[in-house]
Amino acid sequence: MSSDLLLATASFLAGAMNAVAGGGSFITFPALVLSGVPSIAANASSTVALFPGSFASAWAYRDDFRSFEGVSVRALLPVSLAGGLAGALLLLLTPQATFDSVIPWLLLFGTLAFAFGRKAGERLRRHIRIGPALLLGGQFILAVYGGYFGGAVGLMMMAVWSLFGVNDIQAMNAAKTLLVGATNTVAVTCFIVAGEVWWAQTVLMAIAAVVGGYVGARVGRRIAPDRIRLGITALNGVMTAALFLRA
């Protein structure tokens, strides 16, 4: 019962976080690990539990899709699918002990990307512009990371796109939700086929995440974005520290 309460609470928070800023997997993944689920199965189950929200968000943004100058969202979609497949297969081929040792560092990397990625992208944009080929290559690498682990991958995508000269926030958010969802579609399929999903925990988490997403969307509009990001960063830091201590 205590594990169910932990997972439901974490998933509610994750759904709310994803609705307003992102980073929900930083909560659901450590909660699964701390409740006793092996780390690879925890990563797979977390991805599946939060997956429905990606396309719900993409549908909400359906009127905001815009092609980026020089590279269309249609071109980025197959690249994201291929990268998600590569990342998911890489995860399934990773020995459990190796993944356990890497996880705290992945969480730390994702936490730093969430905290500083937007500002880093803004500063780099003043000095760097990348072409279509590099953008597609960067998208593939990010999709591999998304299929393998995925913490803050949406924010990383937006930071890379900004180096390409994209500055329409609504269009970036729309593309982010679609492409992260596409990446996770392949990953979710691989995890289900491989039998790595713990369904009892996943179904409970998916329900709680949907409720949290609805509440987050309703309440998040009344809170300043910077405060939301600061709170999520602090929560991510606590979860990362917990995984380092556990390791």
Side-chain angles (χ1 to χ4, degrees), residues 186-220:
V186 183
V188 163
T189 302
C190 290
F191 298 152
I192 292 174
V193 171
E196 290 290 349
V197 179
W198 287 37
W199 285 107
Q201 291 85 345
T202 300
V203 171
L204 169 66
M205 294 169 66
I207 295 170
V210 168
V211 176
Y214 177 80
V215 174
R218 300 281 292 181
V219 176

Side-chain angles (χ1 to χ4, degrees), residues 43-61:
N43 192 31
S45 300
S46 173
T47 301
V48 174
L50 297 179
F51 172 68
S54 297
F55 285 106
S57 298
W59 177 253
Y61 277 115

Side-chain angles (χ1 to χ4, degrees), residues 11-28 46 49-51 53-54 57 61 114 150 152 173 176-177 180 184 209 212-213 216-217 228 232:
S11 300
F12 178 87
L13 290 173
M17 289 164 59
N18 284 342
V20 296
S25 60
F26 286 111
I27 307 301
T28 53
S46 173
L50 297 179
F51 172 68
S54 297
S57 298
Y61 277 115
F114 185 89
N173 270 323
K176 176 197 72 175
T177 56
V180 170
N184 286 338
I228 292 174
I232 291 176

Side-chain angles (χ1 to χ4, degrees), residues 90-215:
L90 181 62
L91 173 67
L92 295 174
L93 292 173
T94 301
Q96 184 72 51
T98 301
F99 191 66
D100 286 340
S101 64
V102 169
I103 272 300
W105 297 102
L106 287 174
L107 279 171
L108 178 61
F109 174 72
T111 298
L112 293 174
F114 185 89
F116 305 110
R118 184 178 58 176
K119 291 184 179 180
E122 291 173 354
R123 292 182 180 179
L124 286 172
R125 190 168 62 242
R126 300 171 190 167
H127 309 286
I128 301 174
R129 290 289 296 272
I130 63 176
L134 284 177
L135 177 63
L136 290 172
Q139 182 68 21
F140 177 77
I141 293 172
L142 288 173
V144 172
Y145 169 76
Y148 189 81
F149 181 63
V153 67
L155 187 69
M156 294 181 202
M157 286 182 184
M158 294 174 71
V160 169
W161 298 340
S162 71
L163 301 182
F164 186 64
V166 180
N167 53 22
D168 185 336
I169 296 298
Q170 289 295 89
M172 291 170 74
N173 270 323
K176 176 197 72 175
T177 56
L178 176 64
L179 297 177
V180 170
T183 299
N184 286 338
T185 297
V186 183
V188 163
T189 302
C190 290
F191 298 152
I192 292 174
V193 171
E196 290 290 349
V197 179
W198 287 37
W199 285 107
Q201 291 85 345
T202 300
V203 171
L204 169 66
M205 294 169 66
I207 295 170
V210 168
V211 176
Y214 177 80
V215 174

